[in-house]
Amino acid sequence: MAGSDRARHTIVIGAGVGGLTAAIDLALSGYRVSLFETHKVPGGKIHQVNIEGHRMDAGPTVFTLRPVFDDLYARAGARFEEEVDLREGDVLARHSWIDSDSLDLYADIDRSCDAIAALAGAREADNYRRFANRTAEVFDTLDYTYMRAPLPSPLSLALAAAPKGFKRLWQTAPYTSLWRSLTRQFDDPRLRQLFGRYATYCGSSPFDAPATLALIAHAERAGVWTLSGGMQALATSLAGLAERLNCECHYGETVTSLRVQNGRATGVVLKDGRLIEADAVVFNGDIQALQSGLLGESAKHATVARPAAALSAVTRCQLADVQGFDLSHHTVFFNDNYRAEFDALFKRQVLPDEPTLYICAQDRSTDSATTRSDKQTTGPERIFCLSNAPARSLDDDDVAQAQRAMTSMLQRHGLTLTEHAPAVTTQPADFGQRFPASQGALYGRPTHGPLGSFRRPGSRSKLAGLYLAGGTVHPGAGVPMAATSGRLAASCVHSDLIAGR
């Protein structure tokens, strides 16, 4: 890189995972980097709450696709496993249905097949093995051609996958819904629910999302880790790496507008009125903040609007005694009518009467070598419970309804939680306050329809000099995808500035 390029200044707005990875890669490419974050700590959607001195994750709780971070740290001359305390679990998650045995899925396919055979018979175990092989192929097809490409299109995908491009892409089943595909692959409705749930990882309905999203099953099967200190430890480590690379990280400082000159982003204005000039700006926030004009009129048309129907959540963090059900670190409790849940969420945009619930028991082991009831601490446990909700503000009655529905559903599965302190409940409006203009949407635009995967904005916005990162842009929601979006944005900044664009 030329010496003049080394003096160029880039600004990153937002210290979420996407913003942090963008800052790191930009610094490694020789740029002076200034990062501005409204909150006092890094992490974005990764955050924790404190209940009587017990800190617990209240945002993302699942860590997958570790190679994304191995590669990033290796580029910086560091080893990821030496920067964070990781533990890989062999149990991916426990799954429970009313009036049914539970099912553990494992990183080891043979163990999962044995568990599925015990639950649903040998035929379904064979079906799962075929499903696992197929999702691995889909992941391999789309890893570099889609997920790591700045702005893929159906044509670019086909060309990138050549000479077997169209055939390989057709085999990813983009024109079939995930639910229809699962109906063809599994006879047991419980397994359809289990693997259909992966659509919610990117804020979508399994009845409307393309079957392509089944690749998430492979991403999870490739390994699930827990981090000592929770997911906040990842954000802290990324921020520390950025600072070691001389990124100027400013926490508690809010960007109020972009500076735009001659149709190009040339800096930012802070809440205190200071103007900070830059050669390029990376925005790591919900794209609705741009659309709504929160960063100024000139940025309103830098990207496209999101559809009204999006997915949020009601969450509850609590210290509680656990009775009646043997939780794993990750446990999912399914309802009896999956379609009714997603009709409520996306078609009527109301809370479902019977929600599917996810619990992260943050003091439980993910290692099946221990007893199933093994805990890493004694006393009350740190419990994070999540129920999907439409991305809109809920009134007090709605929140109370969600709380009752949570308690009722867990009791139907045989689980009772006895609180030791008042729980911390978060609803979509709270997420909307934390992430301005998001309306509480946690995953950005739903990935619905055969072209849904191509409707998220890419790394380059419509405004020259402004680049996009985070879970609301390509390649989508989730910690590893957000990290990838930051790296893609940094790559685009670098290539454009080198080319004089």
Side-chain angles (χ1 to χ4, degrees), residues 299-467:
K300 287 182 68 172
H301 304 292
T303 185
V304 296
R306 183 180 62 230
L311 198 61
S312 185
V314 173
T315 67
R316 186 167 66 191
C317 294
Q318 57 192 136
L319 284 174
D321 286 328
V322 176
Q323 296 175 310
F325 185 95
D326 191 12
L327 292 171
S328 182
H329 188 83
H330 304 290
T331 307
V332 183
F333 298 89
F334 288 104
N335 58 32
D336 284 332
N337 192 336
Y338 217 36
R339 185 177 289 276
E341 177 179 2
F342 289 96
D343 283 348
L345 292 169
F346 286 100
K347 293 183 179 179
R348 294 185 286 123
Q349 296 185 48
V350 298
L351 291 168
D353 293 329
E354 295 186 346
T356 295
L357 300 178
Y358 161 73
I359 280 185
C360 181
Q362 297 179 27
D363 296 307
R364 297 259 173 164
S365 172
T366 58
D367 185 357
S368 64
T370 62
T371 62
R372 284 170 60 91
S373 60
D374 177 68
K375 293 193 302 177
Q376 296 169 1
T377 62
T378 59
E381 300 183 48
R382 297 173 298 160
I383 301 294
F384 169 78
C385 185
L386 180 148
S387 172
N388 291 320
R392 65 171 181 82
S393 180
L394 305 177
D395 60 28
D396 291 344
D397 289 342
D398 287 331
V399 176
Q401 173 195 336
Q403 298 272 31
R404 289 193 297 270
M406 281 184 178
T407 300
S408 174
M409 180 58 64
L410 293 177
Q411 288 178 343
R412 292 183 66 191
H413 285 263
L415 174 63
T416 299
L417 300 175
T418 304
E419 292 184 356
H420 279 247
V424 175
T425 300
T426 306
Q427 65 133 311
D430 300 315
F431 291 118
Q433 184 175 11
R434 183 176 177 83
F435 313 116
S438 68
Q439 298 174 307
L442 296 177
Y443 313 91
R445 187 186 188 106
T447 305
H448 288 168
L451 298 179
S453 299
F454 302 100
R455 291 184 178 134
R456 288 177 182 260
S459 305
R460 294 179 174 91
S461 78
K462 296 180 180 180
L463 177 64
L466 177 64
Y467 300 82

Side-chain angles (χ1 to χ4, degrees), residues 112-350:
S112 290
C113 286
D114 290 343
I116 290 172
L119 178 79
R123 174 185 170 90
E124 289 294 69
D126 291 339
N127 288 339
Y128 172 73
R129 191 178 296 277
R130 285 190 288 271
F131 174 77
N133 292 334
R134 181 174 175 276
T135 53
E137 292 173 357
V138 172
F139 186 94
D140 289 343
T141 297
L142 298 178
D143 187 11
Y144 285 92
T145 60
Y146 173 76
M147 288 182 283
R148 303 197 206 192
L151 185 59
S153 67
L155 178 58
S156 71
L157 275 178
L159 293 174
K164 300 179 180 179
F166 284 108
K167 181 179 180 181
R168 292 181 65 182
L169 290 178
W170 188 258
Q171 289 172 341
T172 67
Y175 291 95
T176 301
S177 75
L178 177 59
W179 189 259
R180 179 173 294 182
S181 176
L182 292 171
T183 300
R184 295 170 180 171
Q185 294 177 79
F186 295 103
D187 298 321
D188 195 304
R190 294 171 295 183
L191 299 180
R192 298 172 192 167
Q193 272 188 308
L194 192 162
F195 297 111
R197 178 179 169 271
Y198 288 119
T200 64
Y201 281 34
C202 56
S204 303
S205 163
F207 299 96
D208 297 306
T212 309
L213 293 188
L215 64 81
I216 299 174
H218 173 75
E220 191 167 273
R221 192 172 58 253
V224 173
W225 284 261
T226 56
L227 286 72
S228 178
M231 293 294 285
Q232 187 64 48
L234 173 65
T236 301
S237 176
L238 288 169
L241 179 59
E243 290 171 359
R244 295 206 307 267
L245 295 170
N246 297 318
C247 294
E248 302 167 10
C249 297
H250 305 274
Y251 298 104
E253 297 220 31
T254 301
V255 172
T256 56
S257 65
L258 292 175
R259 184 195 190 197
V260 178
Q261 292 181 307
N262 300 319
R264 180 180 182 85
T266 60
V268 301
V269 178
L270 303 181
K271 189 175 183 179
D272 62 10
R274 282 181 294 156
L275 168 65
I276 312 294
E277 296 182 334
D279 296 281
V281 178
V282 176
F283 176 68
N284 174 217
D286 195 297
I287 59 171
Q288 292 298 102
L290 298 175
Q291 280 284 321
S292 63
L294 285 188
L295 292 185
E297 287 294 315
S298 54
K300 287 182 68 172
H301 304 292
T303 185
V304 296
R306 183 180 62 230
L311 198 61
S312 185
V314 173
T315 67
R316 186 167 66 191
C317 294
Q318 57 192 136
L319 284 174
D321 286 328
V322 176
Q323 296 175 310
F325 185 95
D326 191 12
L327 292 171
S328 182
H329 188 83
H330 304 290
T331 307
V332 183
F333 298 89
F334 288 104
N335 58 32
D336 284 332
N337 192 336
Y338 217 36
R339 185 177 289 276
E341 177 179 2
F342 289 96
D343 283 348
L345 292 169
F346 286 100
K347 293 183 179 179
R348 294 185 286 123
Q349 296 185 48
V350 298

